[in-house]
Amino acid sequence: MQSYTIGQAARLLGVSPDTARRWADAGRVVTHRDEAGRRLINGRDLAAFSVEVGQGAHTEDGEPCTSARNAFPGIATAVRLGDVSARVDIQAGPHRLVCLPTREAVEELGLEVGTRATARVKCTSVHIDRA
């Protein structure tokens, strides 16, 4: 069975090694020591914990944790499902945003026309102006 060091686990979870160490110290994820005394996390345990972390990534007020700074709260005005991908149109005030997520993501979020949704934009710069 594959095992991961605290540093490797932190990289896979997208957190600092200090955060991963605190989680291990608090018993949120089980560790064991190798012959050299390094703390390791069993691969199956890390996989289960990563799902738990991903599902619970919310602040105390219920907002999702994100590093995206450009949030556009709005309402889904169109949802089109394909075999693998989907298209979701969100009207956020005067802004219409079109998102192309996977079908699975749309179904997991329960998105349908009329659902409140927030489009979070984080990408390289894309600017389009019409002269």
Side-chain angles (χ1 to χ4, degrees), residues 2-53:
Q2 172 92 30
S3 291
Y4 297 88
T5 65
I6 294 287
Q8 291 169 327
R11 280 191 296 282
L12 292 169
L13 294 168
V15 298
S16 72
D18 286 339
T19 296
R21 205 171 289 111
R22 280 192 299 274
W23 286 344
D25 291 344
R28 289 190 62 192
V29 64
V30 177
T31 63
H32 62 279
R33 298 218 181 246
D34 67 3
E35 308 79 37
R38 295 179 303 170
R39 290 193 343 180
L40 301 175
I41 302 171
N42 174 290
R44 288 188 186 275
D45 292 339
L46 181 59
F49 183 65
S50 69
V51 170
E52 177 188 323
V53 168

Side-chain angles (χ1 to χ4, degrees), residues 2 6 8 16 23 32 34-35 39 48 51 55 58 61-62 71 79 98 103-104 109 113-114 120 123-125 129:
Q2 172 92 30
I6 294 287
Q8 291 169 327
S16 72
W23 286 344
H32 62 279
D34 67 3
E35 308 79 37
R39 290 193 343 180
V51 170
Q55 290 174 342
H58 291 79
D61 61 359
V79 177
V98 178
R103 178 187 181 117
E104 180 181 8
L109 291 170
V113 173
R120 298 192 186 274
C123 63
T124 56
S125 296
D129 292 336

Side-chain angles (χ1 to χ4, degrees), residues 68-114:
R69 288 166 179 71
N70 300 319
F72 296 86
I75 188 167
T77 58
V79 177
R80 294 174 192 87
L81 299 175
D83 291 337
V84 176
S85 62
R87 175 183 163 161
V88 178
D89 294 23
I90 296 175
Q91 192 67 40
H95 308 290
R96 178 176 159 258
L97 296 106
V98 178
C99 180
L100 303 172
T102 63
R103 178 187 181 117
E104 180 181 8
V106 171
E107 290 172 344
E108 279 183 14
L109 291 170
L111 291 176
E112 57 187 37
V113 173

